[in-house]
Amino acid sequence: MDRMTKDRTIEGEVAALLDWYAAMGADEAIGEAPLDAFSVSAKPRAAPAPQQAPVAERAGGRERPPLPDRYSDFATTREPRPAPKTVTPRPVQPRRQETADMPSAGEIAKTASLAELRALVEQFDGCPLKRTAKSLCFSRGSETADLMLIGEAPGRDEDLQGKPFVGRAGQLLDKMLAAIGRAEDSVYITNTVYWRPPGNRTPTPQEIAACLPFLEQQIALLKPKTIMLLGGAAASTMLQTTQGIMRLRGKWKSYDKTDTPIPVMATLHPAFLLRNSAAKRKAWQDLLMVKQRLDSDQS
Ligand code: URA
């Protein structure tokens, strides 16, 4: 093999490896030098390094293959991920002991105020997503808002900023809300899970279930007049149904776990709308129904 061909082969292998890391969720470098995390796991964490460009940019601007649309009913299957060529067995890490006398998330959450709840979620180790995420994304908006919005899971931008819906989907959501006269100070926004799933995959039912008591307690404390569920994951979780978002959206449903039932409107996820402009009309219809209901509550 001549020198140039060899260089090109190595470059291709490095690029494929970076793509694989990115698909696994490791799309951000946090240090200049490689680090054996197993040898330092007992030591306190070093401060994060300044933000770096995404892996795809560092790999010479090569485009990463698009991830499946996790917000759509139409794309629920995933391409199998490429496996690494060689797998070195890792030592099994001892797991945090889960004992019978440990209070469950539900028991902890039930007694907390909204301010205490965030601190409790920060300390909560029952959701495995916490181990791979950089930050907790609890909520943004006003704690006195009459409109609560629940999305699926934080993405990369949310993980970096520690707030839900601050990336492109969040910007679209803000524009949609502005169109019905709502700024951040008149809505409360959160997700079904509080940490970014690796590689932006859909959170598993177990991950959602682990965080659900905190979400239910947020609703109980906030007592919003109306809840909007953004996308299929939030809708099926909160409405306890297997029906898809296309069937659920645009109809008033009810959340009945509070003393007074709360009207709920499911709609399409803003990330889905970014890829499917034609569907924006449907989301707009749903938003108008919410606006009309909230306006009539005020009059
Ligand atoms: N998508 C979500 O469902 N939630 C976020 O916070 C961001 C993107």
Side-chain angles (χ1 to χ4, degrees):
M1 197 188 294
D2 64 42
R3 175 81 197 256
M4 242 167 78
T5 316
K6 196 173 166 192
D7 283 354
R8 264 197 229 118
T9 310
I10 293 170
E11 202 178 292
E13 280 174 7
V14 170
L17 182 65
L18 288 174
D19 280 347
W20 184 76
Y21 281 151
M24 292 291 130
D27 56 4
E28 195 73 14
I30 56 165
E32 290 298 322
L35 176 73
D36 177 0
F38 289 110
S39 66
V40 294
S41 59
K43 293 182 195 159
R45 274 181 161 196
Q51 200 176 314
Q52 298 206 0
V55 167
E57 278 169 39
R58 296 203 303 281
R62 291 173 62 262
E63 284 283 303
R64 229 200 271 175
L67 289 165
D69 188 343
R70 66 166 152 126
Y71 300 107
S72 150
D73 269 359
F74 308 123
T76 50
T77 52
R78 302 178 64 100
E79 289 295 312
R81 285 177 170 162
K85 278 188 189 145
T86 52
V87 179
T88 316
R90 287 181 174 181
V92 176
Q93 292 293 296
R95 292 201 59 188
R96 181 177 287 264
Q97 209 185 348
E98 278 151 23
T99 57
D101 55 356
M102 230 183 223
S104 70
E107 284 159 356
I108 300 170
K110 258 185 212 148
T111 54
S113 70
L114 207 46
E116 287 162 349
L117 203 59
R118 191 189 188 286
L120 284 173
V121 174
E122 200 140 33
Q123 290 159 25
F124 179 61
D125 285 331
C127 176
L129 294 175
K130 184 181 181 182
R131 293 185 208 135
T132 46
K134 282 190 191 67
S135 19
L136 165 71
C137 300
F138 186 63
S139 68
R140 72 173 171 99
S142 163
E143 295 185 0
T144 57
D146 56 357
L147 174 58
M148 177 174 191
L149 295 108
I150 305 172
E152 182 180 312
R156 181 178 178 275
D157 293 312
E158 288 74 24
D159 191 30
L160 290 173
Q161 294 187 42
K163 282 187 202 169
F165 281 102
V166 291
R168 280 185 65 224
Q171 284 155 21
L172 175 59
L173 178 62
D174 285 349
K175 279 190 199 152
M176 290 160 61
L177 290 170
I180 59 159
R182 296 270 165 167
E184 194 181 74
D185 60 5
S186 59
V187 293
Y188 181 91
I189 305 176
T190 189
N191 279 308
T192 59
V193 296
Y194 304 109
W195 296 274
R196 179 197 183 189
N200 286 352
R201 64 163 169 75
T202 305
T204 64
Q206 291 77 11
E207 289 157 355
I208 293 178
C211 295
L212 191 59
F214 297 111
L215 181 55
E216 288 174 347
Q217 183 65 2
Q218 278 183 92
I219 299 172
L221 290 164
L222 202 80
K223 298 187 181 66
K225 292 234 169 75
T226 300
I227 298 176
M228 275 201 100
L229 304 173
L230 307 172
S236 56
T237 302
M238 301 314 291
L239 299 173
Q240 295 182 307
T241 174
T242 51
Q243 275 196 349
I245 188 67
M246 289 299 173
R247 282 182 184 275
L248 292 170
R249 61 146 292 272
K251 299 174 196 115
W252 285 110
K253 308 269 175 193
S254 182
Y255 175 80
D256 297 329
K257 288 196 175 171
T258 36
D259 297 340
T260 312
I262 301 173
V264 172
M265 175 64 65
T267 192
L268 303 170
H269 195 285
F272 177 73
L273 300 177
L274 283 172
R275 297 180 199 114
N276 301 274
S277 270
K280 283 183 183 165
R281 204 163 57 94
K282 290 194 170 77
W284 178 237
Q285 287 164 358
D286 304 341
L287 263 181
L288 279 182
M289 287 172 77
V290 168
K291 177 177 161 47
Q292 275 156 15
R293 179 156 212 148
L294 287 167
D295 287 352
S296 67
D297 277 353
Q298 275 162 13
S299 57

